[in-house]
Amino acid sequence: MGKKKKKKKIKIKTLHFSFSPISRSLLPPYPTNAEAGADRSNAPPFRRIDRRQSVHGQIRDMDFLQKSMLRISWIFLFAILVMRFCHGFYLPGTYMHTYSPSEPVFAKVNSLTSIETELPFSYYSLPYCKPLEEIKKSAENLGELLMGDQIDNSPYRFKMNVNETVFLCIHSPLTEQEVKLLKQRTRDLYQVNIMLDNLPARRFAKQNGITIQWTGFPVGYTPANSNNDYIINHLKFRVFIHEYEGSGTKIIGTGEEGLGVISEADKKKASGFEIVGFEVVPCSIKHDPDEMSKLHMYDNMNPISCPSETDQPQIIKEGERVAFTYEVEFVKSDIRWPSRWDAYLKMEGARVHWFSILNSLMVIVFLAGIVFVIFLRTVRRDLARYEDLDKEAQAQMNEELSGWKLVVGDVFREPDCPKLLSVMVGDGVQITGMAVVSIVFAALGFMSPASRGMLLTGMVFLYLFLGIAAGYAGVRFWRTIKGTAEGWKSVAWSVASFFPGIVFVILTFLNFILWGSKSTGAIPISLYFILLSLWFCISVPLTLFGGFLGTRAEPIQYPVRTNQIPREIPARKYPSWLLVLGAGTLPFGTLFIELLFILSSIWLGRFYYVFGFLLIVLLLLVIVCSEVSVVLTYMHLCVEDWRWWWKSFFASGSVALYVFLYSINYLVFDLRSLSGPVSATLYLGYSLIIVIAVMLATGTIGLLMSFYFVHYLFSSVKID
């Protein structure tokens, strides 16, 4: 009877800052998730012990946290300044080919494309001249097939360093169907994409007094205030060549023709001319059909001067016999072969990119200030204030606690739809890893534009092989929430099928539209089977193996126990989801300028090769998403709302909503020429795939950082 009841003690443990806060080696022996059913009355969250040591430890570690964050900020700013004054580089892309004088060089043609319809068609779907031999398709990689490229041989033949004007062919009288097709392709602004030695033909046009560079040439044109359409049937090519003398220098390429080396043994063989530029000037000329009928393919002709639009162009009309001719001029250039792509990749709007980065840095500094206030003032003040109270005041305060301290028994309660959340986290890790690795390799120059489709091919295979990371992250997150590994196989299967399934459904729907339009952009049935085989044979096994590793990893244990009865959440004047959706504007402000360049590259056929800027924007996006999610999570905990799991995911993931709205804005105002519901459906379908990927990636970043923050915050309280 006389024995005093031993009081439970609670102490504030030293706070440690680490990028891996959930490692078992860094955590004390906290209660497991399976023990999380204890009643709150048996586990008071706050008591006093060892006040001076704990407070001094908090202050010391908070100072260390502040210094670490400042050091990281200085390193990041220094890296940006270094990149500002450095010049990028890229690997040339193909094995250099040298041509001897008069050696024949054949051009190739790609699919016809248009910014009006976004439906590619085969070059030989129009009544053009065909080569003497059969039409042969070039070997295409996975990325080229997915982009709708169809590269064929063409009848355009050049003799190295020989200027000439050549007759190609004269077509039989145009039929009604051919006239209709030519008129439609002309009015839809279709471009013929021709290339020589893997270089696309450049064309210059003046618009509003500004010289604009295009690739390819139009099928035809329609003069202003006229209902007649005219076909482009004469081409003036300018081939820029650099005289190369073999020096035994080793040259290594990474393009579609594989690795190649020029050594001393090939010195004499390598000497010759290398193609470093390719330009075209299109013309429409009315030839005399009787005179043209007497000529044979590749017969030489007298030089032809291109007339103006008001002279004698070749009209598109039923019964017309269209003759096709071309002339070529070789121009010696000082441009070397490794630098021949510089003219295509000339970066425009560099100041706009830097403005975007500086704008993002301002957002980061603003959010970082809020995070510092939370960490260095609010949290420390709450804990230190609690330590300074005497026992009676402390007991009274226990009854009057407010803010995040009240939800200590509910903060790690299982969220709604935990399996779906785990699956989305796994897919988000996979997509984020694919994006980071792809952009890093592209920024280092390994994704040369000379290797068409290489970037998309690399992204597909990276996604497949990163299935192991997706399975590991998804299953381990599931195990953390549930406290047991039971059901991990179902989670791993869902991770392997969730995002690929969504993409498969959207692509199948769009593919039926492309098949109905007879477009080369349609994915062949054989490619469908290849993609399914790759997914089933590579991604699925690796995801299951990653899930198995997730069950074997050290369990992530919660620092506090969870009450059996959920705490009632106070009513709020406005819905919390409104704040969550509004939080997406900050990450969107980081990337919207770069998003404009990316959309222009995809839909307007422009080259995008500023991957260095894109890498910086990606890093800034990760930081902003993390900060936004942490701030929103803390705000919800302060108003006693312990349902933070999904809200932290969508706090950063809601940037996808603004990306989709911006895509619609781009469709309405920047792609006003996009014609027809088919083209708009294709645009919205592909945009939806991008938006879902952005949501999964950014949402996963925000959720994991919020989990780290909540774990870090509540691990400062240890129950004895």
Side-chain angles (χ1 to χ4, degrees):
M1 296 292 294
K3 291 183 178 180
K4 292 184 179 180
K5 188 176 179 180
K6 187 177 180 180
K7 294 183 178 180
K8 294 183 179 180
K9 295 183 179 180
I10 184 169
K11 63 182 179 180
I12 307 298
K13 78 178 191 68
T14 303
L15 304 179
H16 296 280
F17 179 78
S18 170
F19 286 103
S20 302
I22 52 181
S23 173
R24 185 181 180 92
S25 61
L26 297 179
L27 294 176
Y30 295 133
T32 61
N33 301 343
E35 300 172 344
D39 186 73
R40 187 170 184 174
S41 60
N42 297 327
F46 296 98
R47 292 282 177 92
R48 179 186 176 208
I49 188 171
D50 199 7
R51 181 178 63 189
R52 286 177 295 180
Q53 292 182 1
S54 59
V55 172
H56 286 299
Q58 292 172 39
I59 296 174
R60 182 176 60 253
D61 290 321
M62 285 296 181
D63 292 337
F64 172 73
L65 172 63
Q66 184 178 15
K67 292 178 181 179
S68 300
M69 295 298 289
L70 288 174
R71 191 180 298 114
I72 293 173
S73 301
W74 279 112
I75 293 174
F76 188 74
L77 290 173
F78 176 75
I80 291 179
L81 290 175
V82 170
M83 292 161 92
R84 173 68 179 87
F85 295 102
C86 289
H87 296 282
F89 71 96
Y90 67 93
L91 301 180
T94 55
Y95 172 47
M96 183 180 69
H97 191 110
T98 56
Y99 299 90
S100 57
S102 301
E103 180 181 350
V105 185
F106 286 91
K108 294 182 179 181
V109 287
N110 203 341
S111 301
L112 306 174
T113 56
S114 170
I115 60 174
E116 290 264 342
T117 65
E118 302 298 342
L119 293 171
F121 291 98
S122 171
Y123 172 81
Y124 291 108
S125 63
L126 295 181
Y128 285 133
C129 301
K130 295 178 173 58
L132 293 175
E133 64 275 8
E134 63 179 355
I135 299 174
K136 298 178 181 178
K137 299 183 184 298
S138 299
E140 296 173 331
N141 56 42
L142 182 62
E144 288 177 306
L145 293 173
L146 290 174
M147 292 189 300
D149 287 348
Q150 181 176 314
I151 302 174
D152 303 315
N153 59 332
S154 79
Y156 292 99
R157 183 196 69 183
F158 309 140
K159 294 179 181 178
M160 177 53 64
N161 206 23
V162 176
N163 300 336
E164 56 183 348
T165 303
V166 180
F167 168 78
L168 206 54
C169 75
I170 183 168
H171 200 275
S172 56
L174 295 175
T175 64
E176 181 182 358
Q177 181 63 27
E178 290 173 336
V179 169
K180 181 180 178 181
L181 191 60
L182 280 172
K183 283 180 172 288
Q184 182 180 355
R185 298 289 183 264
T186 298
R187 299 192 176 187
D188 286 340
L189 303 181
Y190 269 87
Q191 301 282 318
V192 178
N193 298 298
I194 186 169
M195 62 194 72
L196 184 68
D197 194 39
N198 209 34
L199 277 180
R202 291 195 300 158
R203 174 173 61 92
F204 298 95
K206 283 192 175 182
Q207 187 175 0
N208 299 326
I210 302 174
T211 301
I212 301 176
Q213 174 180 299
W214 299 87
T215 55
F217 60 90
V219 171
Y221 65 92
T222 304
N225 303 322
S226 174
N227 293 325
N228 294 327
D229 302 299
Y230 301 95
I231 188 174
I232 298 298
N233 63 334
H234 180 74
L235 301 174
K236 300 183 68 173
F237 295 107
R238 296 184 71 194
V239 181
F240 295 87
I241 56 176
H242 180 77
E243 191 168 1
Y244 177 78
E245 296 181 0
S247 59
T249 304
K250 292 185 178 180
I251 299 177
I252 301 178
T254 58
E256 58 184 7
E257 299 177 16
L259 294 176
V261 175
I262 297 178
S263 61
E264 288 287 351
D266 302 322
K267 185 174 181 179
K268 293 183 179 180
K269 182 179 178 181
S271 299
F273 297 98
E274 52 195 32
I275 297 175
V276 296
F278 187 40
E279 296 179 0
V280 62
V281 178
C283 307
S284 179
I285 298 177
K286 173 70 174 176
H287 294 289
D288 185 354
D290 296 330
E291 292 292 331
M292 295 295 108
S293 299
K294 300 176 183 178
L295 301 175
H296 300 87
M297 183 176 282
Y298 302 129
D299 283 350
N300 290 331
M301 300 174 54
N302 294 325
I304 300 174
S305 60
C306 285
S308 63
E309 294 181 358
T310 57
D311 288 337
Q312 294 183 343
Q314 176 61 60
I315 192 172
I316 301 175
K317 185 178 178 181
E318 186 177 354
E320 285 286 322
R321 300 185 66 190
V322 181
F324 293 90
T325 56
Y326 69 92
E327 59 183 290
V328 57
E329 177 188 5
F330 287 88
V331 180
K332 291 189 177 181
S333 172
D334 294 330
I335 299 174
R336 293 187 171 273
W337 189 86
S339 303
R340 64 180 190 160
W341 276 92
D342 290 355
Y344 299 87
L345 306 178
K346 184 179 180 181
M347 186 176 62
E348 298 178 356
R351 293 184 178 180
V352 177
H353 291 281
W354 284 113
F355 172 77
S356 172
I357 291 172
L358 292 176
N359 175 65
S360 303
L361 284 175
M362 293 176 63
V363 174
I364 287 177
V365 171
F366 171 73
L367 292 175
I370 298 178
V371 173
F372 275 135
V373 168
I374 293 174
F375 272 109
L376 303 180
R377 296 189 60 185
T378 307
V379 176
R380 184 172 64 179
R381 182 192 61 197
D382 290 345
L383 295 176
R385 177 186 172 192
Y386 196 88
E387 282 287 314
D388 292 337
L389 296 175
D390 55 23
K391 293 182 179 180
E392 294 181 1
Q394 191 179 135
Q396 182 180 359
M397 186 176 179
N398 280 336
E399 299 177 358
E400 301 176 357
L401 287 175
S402 61
W404 60 270
K405 298 176 287 295
L406 281 174
V407 297
V408 65
D410 300 273
V411 69
F412 290 107
R413 189 174 300 280
E414 181 180 310
D416 297 330
C417 304
K419 182 178 178 181
L420 177 60
L421 185 60
S422 302
V423 169
M424 295 175 77
V425 167
D427 281 331
V429 169
Q430 191 173 9
I431 294 170
T432 303
M434 175 199 68
V436 171
V437 176
S438 299
I439 294 175
V440 167
F441 273 89
L444 294 176
F446 288 96
M447 302 294 184
S448 170
S451 304
R452 288 172 301 276
M454 186 63 68
L455 178 61
L456 187 55
T457 303
M459 292 176 66
V460 170
F461 278 97
L462 278 172
Y463 181 85
L464 294 174
F465 283 102
L466 284 173
I468 188 170
Y472 178 85
V475 169
R476 194 173 187 198
F477 196 79
W478 164 262
R479 188 183 178 194
T480 300
I481 294 175
K482 285 292 187 179
T484 176
E486 184 178 355
W488 72 269
K489 293 181 182 179
S490 174
V491 173
W493 268 103
S494 300
V495 169
S497 307
F498 181 70
F499 181 68
I502 294 175
V503 173
F504 179 80
V505 170
I506 296 176
L507 286 182
T508 301
F509 173 72
L510 298 180
N511 224 41
F512 279 115
I513 297 177
L514 292 170
W515 277 333
S517 303
K518 298 180 180 180
S519 170
T520 60
I523 300 176
I525 293 293
S526 58
L527 183 57
Y528 258 106
F529 285 107
I530 292 174
L531 292 174
L532 288 175
S533 300
L534 290 173
W535 171 76
F536 189 77
C537 297
I538 298 178
S539 183
V540 171
L542 288 177
T543 305
L544 292 174
F545 179 67
F548 174 76
L549 295 179
T551 62
R552 298 294 178 180
E554 292 290 339
I556 303 172
Q557 303 194 9
Y558 295 150
V560 293
R561 296 178 179 177
T562 302
N563 297 334
Q564 292 181 346
I565 302 175
R567 179 183 179 83
E568 183 179 357
I569 300 174
R572 305 186 63 175
K573 296 181 180 179
Y574 55 89
S576 58
W577 285 102
L578 191 62
L579 185 62
V580 170
L581 293 178
T585 55
L586 292 175
F588 178 73
T590 303
L591 60 84
F592 83 96
I593 293 180
E594 209 64 32
L595 184 63
L596 173 63
F597 287 92
I598 294 174
L599 291 176
S600 299
S601 172
I602 296 174
W603 301 110
L604 296 180
R606 298 174 182 172
F607 285 103
Y608 182 88
Y609 208 67
V610 286
F611 290 103
F613 284 111
L614 186 59
L615 179 60
I616 297 176
V617 170
L618 178 63
L619 296 176
L620 297 177
L621 179 64
V622 170
I623 297 174
V624 173
C625 287
S626 303
E627 293 178 341
V628 164
S629 186
V630 166
V631 171
L632 264 291
T633 299
Y634 182 76
M635 292 175 64
H636 281 98
L637 294 179
C638 285
V639 294
E640 303 175 30
D641 187 352
W642 45 265
R643 296 174 302 185
W644 59 272
W645 298 87
W646 281 105
K647 292 174 182 177
S648 65
F649 183 92
F650 286 110
S652 55
S654 60
V655 65
L657 173 64
Y658 298 97
V659 171
F660 189 68
L661 293 176
Y662 185 79
S663 300
I664 296 176
N665 173 80
Y666 187 82
L667 171 65
V668 174
F669 295 101
D670 292 88
L671 293 180
R672 287 173 293 182
S673 59
L674 202 64
S675 59
V678 173
S679 302
T681 303
L682 290 173
Y683 175 86
L684 293 176
Y686 291 129
S687 298
L688 186 59
I689 294 176
I690 297 174
V691 164
I692 293 174
V694 169
M695 181 196 69
L696 292 174
T698 55
T700 298
I701 293 169
L703 175 59
L704 294 181
M705 288 303 299
S706 292
F707 180 82
Y708 164 77
F709 167 74
V710 174
H711 193 285
Y712 178 80
L713 179 62
F714 285 91
S715 64
S716 61
V717 179
K718 180 186 174 184
I719 301 174
D720 288 337

